[in-house]
Amino acid sequence: MQIKELVIISGKGGTGKTSIAASFAALARNKVTVDCDVDAANMHIVMNHDIQRKKGFKGGKEAYVDPDLCTGCGTCFDHCRYNAVKMIDKLGKDKAFIEDISCEGCGVCVEFCPEGAVTLIQQTSGEWYISNSSFGPFIHARLGIAQENSGKLVTLLRLNSRILAKENDCELIIIDGSPGIGCPVIASITASSMVLAVTEPTLSGIHDLERIVELVKGFKTIPLTVCINKYDINIEITKEIEKYCAANKLCIVGSLPYDYLVTKAQIAGVSVVEYTGARIALSIKKMWRKIYYSLIQ
Ligand code: SF4
Ligand code: SF4
């Protein structure tokens, strides 16, 4: 059985991507759910889950100065392009100190230090988890503040989701992707079966959608579909998005109305389709059916 991977993305955070992904997780059978929005993970809030396994994520490296070897010559200070080196007076003698939040781990200071006082140390940048949830296996992560390498973490989560899907005989992986068009979103999309771009009828919404379309076009074989969330907050811009999609041969699989029940569901810690049977839930269900049938074709 070939495992299908559906990725839900948006041009920026706050467009309703996670609410839709969590509802799909509630509606789909036989699947693994993954929160790949590692820089602002919040899917776990609406997924009733029990963490089964917890692992550290080793992202980038950071420089460390051995104060016993450092003579305070300042060579590392002069060469660091990121201003991560501070010369600090210790007992009347300057010593180099690395400010970890600024260090990019480039290794220049290691190369230039005449005393061999600097080493690069692998940092634990976050944690990732495998959980049992009310909707089946669930993978999510927590990246430390200002930590890099979120693309690497997304790739790690996706590889493990495939292993988990095979172990559990699942036919589908639902991925709450990262917003934007950067490295983590590329890692979220790579080798997936379908991308759903969630947009909203605002000027920045159209612009963000255009950027996503350009990005996904680069993958050539991955079909891109569109959901217009809160379509009724600005009907004119919704019509512009529809025209743009028609001109670019993009299928709009769903147009969801604005509904305060979405926020209420988040506050209650459940997905929209679990929280209510109102029109918003019916629209999400209709969209899910369309996506599911085109995925399994
Ligand atoms: S280059 Fe080496 S010895 Fe010189 S200040 Fe930096 S760490 Fe200390
Ligand atoms: S590893 Fe690079 S960024 Fe970090 S302190 Fe050394 S020179 Fe600066």
Side-chain angles (χ1 to χ4, degrees):
M1 177 176 56
Q2 200 202 346
I3 300 165
K4 300 291 174 79
E5 297 180 55
L6 169 69
V7 193
I8 299 117
I9 60 171
S10 61
K12 64 173 179 63
T15 51
K17 167 178 72 65
T18 302
S19 294
I20 291 169
S23 286
F24 286 175
L27 294 168
R29 281 174 295 177
N30 207 18
K31 83 280 157 181
V32 172
T33 308
V34 195
D35 185 357
C36 283
D37 188 356
V38 295
D39 290 298
N42 58 5
M43 203 179 192
H44 58 281
I45 297 168
V46 289
M47 297 276 289
N48 182 13
H49 66 287
D50 247 341
I51 293 175
Q52 302 295 307
R53 273 186 273 166
K54 177 161 92 171
K55 294 192 175 183
F57 167 64
K58 297 208 181 298
K61 291 181 173 177
E62 278 170 20
Y64 166 76
V65 175
D66 183 339
D68 293 334
L69 296 178
C70 176
T71 58
C73 68
T75 309
C76 55
F77 177 85
D78 294 339
H79 283 82
C80 178
R81 292 179 55 198
Y82 300 97
N83 292 325
V85 181
K86 309 290 169 214
M87 298 308 293
I88 290 178
D89 186 330
K90 278 195 177 169
L91 303 173
K93 208 171 171 200
D94 271 358
K95 298 271 180 188
F97 171 78
I98 312 292
E99 201 175 58
D100 54 4
I101 201 152
S102 310
C103 177
E104 292 286 326
C106 66
V108 167
C109 53
V110 179
E111 286 297 316
F112 282 90
C113 174
E115 308 298 332
V118 197
T119 38
L120 285 180
I121 295 176
Q122 189 90 45
Q123 294 299 307
T124 298
S125 332
E127 286 180 337
W128 63 280
Y129 316 93
I130 296 180
S131 299
N132 283 339
S133 81
S134 36
F135 311 135
F138 172 49
I139 300 187
H140 65 117
R142 194 164 52 88
L143 199 59
I145 294 164
Q147 292 296 336
E148 303 282 336
N149 283 304
S150 43
K152 193 174 159 189
L153 179 55
V154 167
T155 304
L156 178 79
L157 298 187
R158 289 196 58 204
L159 285 175
N160 278 280
S161 71
R162 287 175 192 158
I163 294 169
L164 212 53
K166 271 193 191 143
E167 281 173 4
N168 289 276
D169 239 352
C170 295
E171 60 173 355
L172 184 63
I173 299 173
I174 295 176
I175 300 163
D176 183 12
S178 307
I181 55 164
C183 179
V185 76
I186 292 169
S188 301
I189 293 171
T190 304
S192 64
S193 316
M194 182 187 282
V195 172
L196 172 67
V198 179
T199 187
E200 53 186 17
T202 59
L203 289 176
S204 66
I206 294 188
H207 176 63
D208 290 341
L209 179 63
E210 287 169 355
R211 295 194 313 157
I212 286 177
V213 170
E214 285 311 308
L215 177 76
V216 180
K217 261 186 199 168
F219 287 89
K220 295 202 168 44
T221 54
I222 303 175
L224 172 66
T225 53
V226 176
C227 163
I228 309 176
N229 195 19
K230 305 175 199 161
Y231 77 89
D232 45 356
I233 61 170
N234 192 325
I235 294 292
E236 284 206 353
I237 299 186
T238 290
K239 282 183 183 156
E240 272 185 54
I241 294 174
E242 287 168 350
K243 264 191 220 158
Y244 171 80
C245 289
N248 287 277
K249 298 188 174 55
L250 294 169
C251 170
I252 299 174
V253 278
S255 295
L256 307 179
Y258 169 79
D259 200 320
Y260 73 101
L261 292 171
V262 174
T263 310
K264 285 199 142 195
Q266 283 165 356
I267 294 166
V270 292
S271 66
V272 178
V273 294
E274 288 172 285
Y275 186 75
T276 177
R279 183 173 158 232
I280 179 70
L282 296 178
S283 304
I284 293 174
K285 284 179 184 172
K286 194 171 155 197
M287 177 165 68
W288 168 245
R289 277 195 297 275
K290 279 190 197 167
I291 289 174
Y292 180 69
Y293 288 120
S294 53
L295 266 173
I296 58 165
Q297 263 174 14

